[in-house]
Amino acid sequence: MVSARRLRALLLGILSGPQRGASARTMAPPRFFALELPGCTLAHFAVGTDAAGAPLDPRAAALLGPPGRSYSLCVPVAPGGDYAARVRAARLHQRLLQQLHRGPLKRCQLRRLLCYSPDGRAGALQQGVLLHDPNDSPDTRRALLALLDSYLETPRPRLGEFLADPLPQLWQRLWELRDGQGWRQVEREPVGRAPEPALHPVVPDLPSSGVFPHREAARGVLEACTAFIPEARAVLELVDRCPAQVQKGKFPVIVIEGLDATGKTTVTQAASESLQAALLRSPPACVSEWRKVFDDEPTIVRRAFYSLGNYIVASEIAEKSTTSPVIVDRYWHSTATYAIATEVSGAVQHLPPAHHPIYQWPRDLLKPNLVLLLTVSPEERRKRIQGRGLERTREETELEDNNVFRQKVEVCYQRMENPGCQVVDADPSQEEVLKTVLSLIQKNCY
């Protein structure tokens, strides 16, 4: 008798054997994907010949397979992976997400999807989305192909379609544009479970897409934006006026960090008055008028803007600290923390582990003497924020709506190193919090 496993393998060979002989495509290494599931958990799967027979995570199978039909859309980065290519891919991904909420596609369910290399190579990551049509309407496929036709730039997003057979085995078929033939599906490839990588797939790309380790990396991103964001050139001109390396003066520099509604603005103002210190903010006033422009851009552009703002502030710190202490309302830790929490999908356990290099201070940015992190309980924070009506960034708004995102931001703050953050409980009265802050400054800086 033939075992069930052997029978399954024979059937898979019959179904996929001719296609393997017809094309070298299936001999290529499998493509790996990370799919964000409900509850901020991740499922990993692979597409390719090596994935045949590996049973999918049931939660992923429920999203990829019937009932209904699912499609993957991933945005590749052009060969070379320079800053201009990365910016183009990021803006294309943002535009794609906006268009998927319109017309016949807006009835479909969207899930964040990443296509990555299992060896953790930087530059191999593709941002994408899984689109699930619960009704399996032919209008969805037509709308997706029409959407791809609307992109004149290359590379276009890659469209894959998932289907199942009675074995049951899940398959993916890619759509390709062939000269004179329009869009055609290529041979199908099996879909199976993939092992979870040691690090979240986005982490290797962070130093070139959000947590820039030095000024030139952030500068390269904004340089690639000058053709379509006029304000980018103005920011670069301000940055280029700042010395490449600056030194602190003889007086201490204290940074105060914290989420919105932790009392940060009040404490920084009161501390600067008590210490007769200069009060600076990041981003600095000279670029703050352009925040709205850059907040509407993808992470790589938005974080480059905030990173360069830190270097402008560093130049101001160097000057002011020669004559008085300096209090800074947010600095590099904010820039890095929000970038990591935004880009690393899933829950807190998917963040880079403590002591990972991504939490290290940039090698060419002026360091403060002390960083204080104000924290409040979720209940106190909600109480304070009600009725404030202040204009907030996209990430600050998400802090209110997404508990997991807020937890990731808080954990990232606490994992920052060299310098790390000293946590200050900001639940008590403003007077008590100020007393604690001044005591810590006295203890660590004088």
Side-chain angles (χ1 to χ4, degrees):
M1 288 184 63
V2 179
S3 68
R5 179 178 297 181
R6 177 62 179 159
L7 179 60
R8 178 181 175 84
L10 288 171
L11 287 169
L12 282 172
I14 293 169
L15 287 168
S16 58
Q19 294 157 356
R20 281 199 291 267
S23 169
R25 174 184 298 276
T26 52
M27 300 304 292
R31 300 182 301 281
F32 285 73
F33 295 85
L35 173 64
E36 189 164 28
L37 301 174
C40 292
T41 56
L42 297 180
H44 295 266
F45 65 92
V47 175
T49 51
D50 293 345
L56 274 174
D57 183 316
R59 300 167 302 167
L63 287 172
L64 298 175
R69 188 174 297 270
S70 290
Y71 303 83
S72 63
L73 281 157
C74 292
V75 179
V77 179
D82 58 14
Y83 291 123
R86 287 174 173 274
V87 169
R88 282 195 299 270
R91 297 187 97 222
L92 181 57
H93 178 248
Q94 184 180 67
R95 175 181 158 196
L96 176 66
L97 291 179
Q98 292 168 348
Q99 291 174 313
L100 290 175
H101 288 95
R102 302 172 189 165
L105 298 174
K106 66 182 179 182
R107 64 170 176 261
C108 299
Q109 303 160 2
L110 302 182
R111 292 272 168 204
R112 186 174 178 183
L113 185 68
L114 298 171
C115 180
Y116 63 94
S117 169
D119 59 10
R121 281 185 296 114
L125 185 77
Q126 298 180 23
Q127 297 280 354
V129 61
L130 182 82
L131 183 143
H132 180 72
D133 176 9
N135 300 316
D136 190 11
S137 168
D139 291 340
T140 300
R141 184 186 295 112
R142 283 193 290 267
L144 287 170
L145 294 175
L147 179 59
L148 294 187
D149 272 332
S150 71
Y151 294 109
L152 302 179
E153 60 269 67
T154 56
R156 287 181 170 96
R158 298 186 74 190
L159 175 63
E161 185 173 336
F162 294 92
L163 57 151
D165 62 29
L167 284 176
Q169 169 68 46
L170 195 65
W171 305 82
Q172 186 194 61
R173 297 186 74 173
L174 292 175
W175 287 84
E176 289 188 350
L177 187 61
R178 297 183 176 176
D179 292 340
Q181 301 179 50
W183 290 98
R184 292 289 183 270
Q185 282 185 305
V186 300
E187 66 274 7
R188 63 184 181 177
E189 298 175 284
V191 179
R193 184 193 293 261
E196 183 174 351
L199 283 176
H200 190 285
V202 85
V203 173
D205 263 46
L206 283 175
S208 53
S209 63
V211 188
F212 303 104
H214 49 81
R215 182 165 91 169
E216 286 308 303
R219 196 189 184 288
V221 172
L222 279 208
E223 187 68 47
C225 298
T226 54
F228 48 86
I229 305 178
E231 294 82 0
R233 174 57 61 195
V235 174
L236 290 173
E237 289 174 356
L238 290 170
V239 171
D240 291 342
R241 294 177 197 165
C242 301
Q245 294 284 346
V246 293
Q247 299 293 325
K248 283 199 312 285
K250 62 180 180 180
F251 289 91
V253 177
I254 300 97
V255 175
I256 299 182
E257 296 275 5
L259 304 185
D260 206 26
T262 54
K264 179 172 49 60
T265 302
T266 302
V267 169
T268 53
Q269 182 68 46
S272 66
E273 292 173 359
S274 296
L275 298 172
Q276 295 184 323
L279 176 57
L280 301 176
R281 290 183 172 84
S282 186
C286 58
V287 299
S288 288
E289 63 180 301
W290 301 316
R291 282 184 68 175
K292 181 65 170 66
V293 172
F294 290 97
D295 282 341
D296 289 338
E297 292 291 328
T299 294
I300 185 172
V301 178
R302 190 164 66 249
R303 290 298 141 206
F305 165 73
Y306 283 104
S307 292
L308 292 177
N310 290 329
Y311 286 91
I312 298 172
V313 170
S315 185
E316 296 176 354
I317 291 171
E319 178 187 351
K320 297 291 186 182
S321 61
T322 60
T323 57
S324 72
V326 179
I327 303 290
V328 189
D329 185 344
R330 286 188 172 173
Y331 197 25
W332 182 81
H333 284 344
S334 287
T335 307
T337 291
Y338 280 90
I340 297 168
T342 300
E343 292 304 289
V344 176
S345 54
V348 169
Q349 64 265 29
H350 298 109
L351 292 171
H355 311 303
H356 188 277
I358 204 68
Y359 299 119
Q360 295 290 320
W361 192 267
R363 59 179 180 263
D364 60 350
L365 182 63
L366 183 149
K367 287 184 185 179
N369 297 87
L370 178 66
V371 182
L372 300 177
L373 173 64
L374 305 185
T375 64
V376 296
S377 63
E379 298 77 15
E380 178 66 21
R381 190 168 177 276
R382 279 193 296 269
K383 188 191 308 179
R384 293 182 184 183
I385 209 162
Q386 285 175 352
R388 286 179 59 177
L390 298 178
E391 184 177 351
R392 296 192 293 274
T393 65
R394 181 190 314 172
E395 284 121 343
E396 287 168 341
T397 300
E398 191 171 356
L399 287 171
E400 301 311 306
D401 304 329
N402 188 333
N403 286 334
V404 172
F405 179 69
R406 184 170 64 250
Q407 291 168 8
K408 289 196 293 185
V409 169
E410 291 172 341
V411 169
C412 287
Y413 265 129
Q414 293 168 16
R415 289 182 181 174
M416 292 295 163
E417 293 182 327
N418 191 30
C421 299
Q422 291 200 35
V423 177
V424 176
D425 180 7
D427 269 357
S429 67
Q430 292 179 1
E431 293 76 13
E432 291 181 69
V433 174
L434 177 61
K435 183 178 178 181
T436 301
V437 166
L438 293 176
S439 174
L440 286 169
I441 293 172
Q442 180 68 32
K443 176 182 177 182
N444 290 275
C445 301
Y446 289 96

